[in-house]
């Protein structure tokens, strides 16, 4: 290996000079083009190894016809619900040689920068919106798009999401079966939160036990702080509540901290459950009862739909709902 000098990595021109070929032929080798003879291919690969050349992904994409890159826009890096979703996406896309580029849509808001602009400069082949779509993202009509985990529709975009309303019903069934009749819901202003609340309320209203639901919906994002604040307001107005269903696991953690601050025991005094079954919920320290939104399956389904849309952009938009499941742990108990 030849050291090019501190702070001066090898360039594609260095590789071309070492191999005795043109820059365009080096680009063809990087694209794995069959139009290059084996002798010249071997010379270029040898030069790449000797110079420890690291090609720019963007440069390779610009030189070829396909980038093999998929952009993923996340709601918020602080919410771990997307960890399994990315796993499912990778499983669906890796066999086709696609790589994922991930951006948080709130990360650079102070710079007036949209993650979509960055993706377009990288010539991504498709975009996955992980969470609630934002109409301000300004995605070109020709770009294949799939919404994963969110329910708000985008024109010409497929949707693969959890059946949030069914998950709300599961939460109600679990708490009612444990004997709770005074339930609370802590949520935020989002489509997913609204669906989960609707499922909970519909099941409780139809229950023969005369059960009721007290609701606290917080403005802004469904954060831990919002969960703590929401539960505090709910208990101030409805101290009779014995079980709380939070719109996601992050809000449920906030609810747990509020209960601890008030000297209330979980689950002896108040049962708590969340939604998404994130890695935080599964930790032994927390042991949070949660509704598993099956993010791996959502990610895998979103990846498959995106590949189909890339292959045929004229496909009609579809919506796929994945059935959730209850994961009972130690934060809920019989009344």
């Amino acid at each position: 290996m030849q050291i090019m000098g501190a702070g001066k990595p090898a360039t594609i021109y260095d590789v071309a000079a070492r191999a005795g070929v043109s820059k365009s032929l080096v680009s063809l080798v990087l694209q794995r083009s069959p139009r290059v003879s084996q002798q010249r291919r071997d010379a270029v690969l040898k030069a790449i190894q000797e110079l420890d050349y690291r090609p720019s992904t963007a440069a390779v994409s610009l030189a070829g016809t396909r980038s093999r890159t998929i952009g993923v826009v996340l709601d918020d890096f602080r919410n771990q619900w997307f960890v399994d979703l990315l796993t499912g996406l990778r499983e669906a896309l890796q066999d086709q040689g696609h790589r994922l580029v991930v951006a948080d849509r709130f990360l650079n808001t102070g710079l007036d920068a949209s993650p979509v602009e960055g993706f377009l400069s990288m010539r991504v082949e498709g975009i996955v919106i992980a969470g609630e779509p934002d109409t301000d993202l300004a995605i070109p009509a020709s770009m294949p798009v799939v919404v994963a985990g969110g329910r708000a529709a985008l024109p010409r975009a497929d949707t693969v999401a959890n059946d949030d309303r069914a998950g709300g019903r599961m939460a109600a069934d679990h708490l009612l079966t444990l004997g709770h009749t005074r339930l609370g819901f802590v949520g935020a202003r989002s489509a997913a939160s609204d669906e989960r609340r609707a499922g909970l309320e519909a099941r409780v209203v139809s229950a023969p036990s005369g059960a009721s639901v007290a609701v606290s919906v917080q403005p802004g994002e469904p954060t831990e702080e919002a969960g703590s604040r929401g539960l505090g307001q709910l208990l101030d107005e409805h101290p009779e509540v014995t079980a709380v269903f939070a719109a996601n696991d992050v809000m449920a953690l906030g609810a747990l901290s509020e209960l601890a601050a008030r000297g209330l025991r979980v689950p002896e005094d108040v049962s708590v459950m969340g939604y998404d079954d994130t890695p935080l919920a599964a930790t032994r320290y927390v042991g949070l009862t949660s509704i598993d939104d099956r993010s791996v399956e959502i990610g895998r389904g979103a990846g498959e739909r995106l590949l189909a849309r890339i292959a045929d952009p004229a496909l009609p938009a579809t919506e796929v709902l994945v059935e959730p499941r209850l994961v009972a742990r130690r934060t809920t108990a019989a009344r």
Side-chain angles (χ1 to χ4, degrees), residues 290-314:
S290 185
I291 301 295
D292 180 4
D293 64 355
R294 301 177 66 193
S295 289
V296 172
E297 288 78 3
I298 292 173
R300 189 180 298 118
E304 292 170 353
R305 290 304 307 164
L306 189 61
L307 289 175
R309 184 156 294 283
I310 291 171
D312 184 1

Side-chain angles (χ1 to χ4, degrees), residues 31-32 66-70 88-100 125 300 302-311:
Q31 297 165 41
R32 301 180 181 179
R66 298 191 63 181
S67 68
R68 297 287 181 181
T69 302
I70 303 298
L89 269 175
R90 186 177 65 248
E91 291 175 358
L93 298 172
Q94 65 185 0
D95 288 344
Q96 301 293 324
H98 288 84
R99 63 180 64 84
L100 299 178
E125 295 188 12
R300 189 180 298 118
E304 292 170 353
R305 290 304 307 164
L306 189 61
L307 289 175
R309 184 156 294 283
I310 291 171

